Amino acid sequence: MSDAREKVERASLQVAPGLETLARFGYASKGVVYGTVGALALGLALGAGGSTTDTRGALLRLQDLPGGSVVLWILMVGLVGYALWQLVRAMLDPEHQGTGARGWSSVRAI
């Protein structure tokens, strides 16, 4: 392993607690977005009104709630954390999944 890679891995271990918290918050934010899509679809299926939508439409519906702008900012921070975690997973392989085809195929999409 190269010296530079070892330094990067040591540095990532030092910031890991904050990064792990941000990644968990990102997973929760992603869950809120997809949960909203599911709730809207369920409402439509049960005849409670509404319409089919995608993640963008779900975010627009969340924006219409009281305090929706604050909710969207919080979700944005979480989704940025999720994206950063995925980038770290791709570049540093902190879960030791491997960097070959086998490692890439075992990436969990949660």
Side-chain angles (χ1 to χ4, degrees):
M1 184 180 297
S2 72
D3 191 39
R5 183 169 175 99
E6 286 179 21
K7 287 179 182 179
V8 169
E9 285 188 10
R10 272 184 291 190
S12 69
L13 290 174
Q14 291 173 353
V15 296
L19 184 59
E20 182 180 349
T21 301
L22 190 60
R24 288 179 188 270
F25 184 61
Y27 280 117
S29 297
K30 187 177 174 186
V32 167
V33 172
Y34 284 105
T36 303
V37 171
L40 292 171
L42 183 63
L44 180 66
L46 296 176
S51 62
T52 58
T53 189
D54 57 359
T55 54
R56 183 174 183 199
L59 291 173
L60 291 173
R61 292 292 291 255
L62 287 173
Q63 183 181 15
D64 293 339
L65 296 173
S69 294
V70 174
V71 170
L72 286 181
W73 277 102
I74 292 169
L75 286 175
M76 181 200 65
V77 169
L79 293 172
V80 166
Y82 176 78
L84 286 173
W85 175 243
Q86 295 304 319
L87 220 115
V88 167
R89 286 179 65 200
M91 292 173 53
L92 300 177
D93 189 29
E95 296 170 334
H96 307 291
Q97 298 286 332
T99 56
R102 188 172 193 173
W104 282 97
S105 66
S106 64
V107 173
R108 296 178 302 277
I110 296 176

